[in-house]
Amino acid sequence: MRFKASIGYLADTGTKKGLGVFASRDIAAGEIVEIAPVILFGGRLEDIPDALSNSAFGWRAIGGETKFAICLGYGGMYNHANPANMIYSIAHERGMRFLASRDIRANEELTVNYNDTKGGTDSTEDI
């Protein structure tokens, strides 16, 4: 099993979001940004410590059997946007794939949509 390294870097967003992940170069629509390893677990979201709950993905909702996944790498650091500039999906039983949903410019923040539990870029609700 291989994991693709991210093509981004962590930096302060200059907003209340704090740290975010930014593109280190131009990224083409459809390009893999990261394949991040995950830690899978069952249980209830309420049982996850607050420090980790913001990084938990609904693994079952996107096609897995386990209830939740914590993404390693930059996977747990992507901030929310609606619409987001990345989509996500299960890469294999222990990894999550993040793809550019559109062309992304160097130094642009890389984002996912927290409200679209199927990994899409848009949702009718916003947090």
Side-chain angles (χ1 to χ4, degrees), residues 11-81:
D12 192 312
T13 64
T15 70
K16 65 180 181 178
K17 291 180 181 180
L19 285 178
V21 183
F22 293 81
S24 57
R25 63 169 175 79
D26 290 345
I27 303 168
E31 187 174 345
I32 294 174
V33 174
E34 179 179 20
I35 297 179
V38 297
I39 298 171
L40 301 173
F41 59 96
R44 300 176 314 149
L45 191 57
E46 302 82 43
D47 297 332
I48 302 169
D50 287 343
L52 293 177
S53 65
N54 290 335
S55 299
F57 286 84
W59 196 253
R60 184 176 288 164
I62 54 175
E65 293 182 18
T66 314
K67 290 186 179 182
F68 301 104
I70 297 290
C71 257
L72 304 177
Y74 287 140
M77 296 297 297
Y78 297 124
N79 284 322
H80 167 78

Side-chain angles (χ1 to χ4, degrees), residues 9 21-24 85 102-110:
Y9 61 92
V21 183
F22 293 81
S24 57
N85 57 18
R102 60 167 175 76
D103 290 344
I104 300 171
R105 312 271 296 157
N107 303 310
E108 181 179 346
E109 185 176 6
L110 300 170

